[in-house]
Amino acid sequence: MDVMKPFFEQQPLRFGCTGCGRCCIAGNDYFVYLGSEDAGRIRGYLGLSVDWFRRRYLGKTADGDPVLAYHADGRCVFLQNDNSCRIYPVRPVQCRTYPFWPEVTNSKTAWQRESRRCEGINRGPGIPVTTIRRILNACHVNSG
Ligand code: SF4
Ligand code: SF4
């Protein structure tokens, strides 16, 4: 094993989303953070004013960062009863890139730990390294 390579290049990471919806449930310091362009895309898709969007769909972390609101049981405000996403075409970058986040793909321990939340991890086909790199880059641009 080449220890100089990032974890996701050392072995194929398998992933196949089952649509279980667990990654859309907040709590225990897990939030859906909004990147610089996420809110505008969602507002445009839903045809909402800035004020209405903020009042109805936004929350804040203890540090004041904007996050998507969620119900008392932790379900994202956009998660529908059938576990589909009401804003799927314009869902935040954090959602589109999951589970290929830097902090999840950087070590086997982190990847295995995340598999306790996401049942799609370690199922399905191996994801090409080029695809994972592209997704990681999208995460980086979003948080930059
Ligand atoms: S925006 Fe959609 S994909 Fe993202 S957490 Fe909410 S329901 Fe899930
Ligand atoms: S937790 Fe994983 S398997 Fe479930 S909906 Fe989210 S990405 Fe898909």
Side-chain angles (χ1 to χ4, degrees):
M1 184 168 72
D2 184 346
V3 293
M4 298 307 289
K5 286 183 175 178
F7 168 66
F8 67 89
E9 289 190 14
Q10 292 174 15
Q11 62 181 80
L13 299 189
R14 291 192 304 120
F15 173 66
C17 179
T18 66
C20 72
R22 279 198 70 195
C23 58
C24 305
I25 297 174
N28 295 327
D29 290 334
Y30 177 74
F31 301 101
V32 179
Y33 290 87
L34 292 185
S36 50
E37 295 177 0
D38 288 330
R41 270 199 306 263
I42 298 168
R43 277 196 291 105
Y45 183 72
L46 296 174
L48 299 176
S49 69
V50 172
D51 274 356
W52 184 250
F53 178 69
R54 191 167 52 220
R55 267 184 282 149
R56 178 76 180 78
Y57 296 109
L58 279 192
K60 275 190 179 166
T61 64
D63 294 333
D65 295 322
V67 294
L68 285 185
Y70 53 91
H71 299 292
D73 61 0
R75 289 172 68 89
C76 172
V77 70
F78 291 121
L79 186 60
Q80 306 185 106
N81 288 340
D82 64 355
N83 286 337
S84 63
C85 173
R86 184 180 161 203
I87 56 164
Y88 190 81
V90 293
R91 65 201 187 283
V93 170
Q94 177 176 324
C95 308
R96 273 187 277 141
T97 56
Y98 184 78
F100 298 102
W101 297 343
E103 63 271 34
V104 175
T105 57
N106 69 4
S107 73
K108 183 172 186 174
T109 303
W111 182 251
Q112 292 304 126
R113 187 189 310 123
E114 195 67 19
S115 74
R116 296 203 288 267
R117 180 153 71 112
C118 171
E119 67 182 22
I121 287 178
N122 299 328
R123 292 184 185 231
I127 307 299
V129 167
T130 50
T131 301
I132 297 176
R133 282 202 176 284
R134 182 173 46 74
I135 297 171
L136 287 170
N137 194 45
C139 295
H140 177 69
V141 169
N142 190 51
S143 64

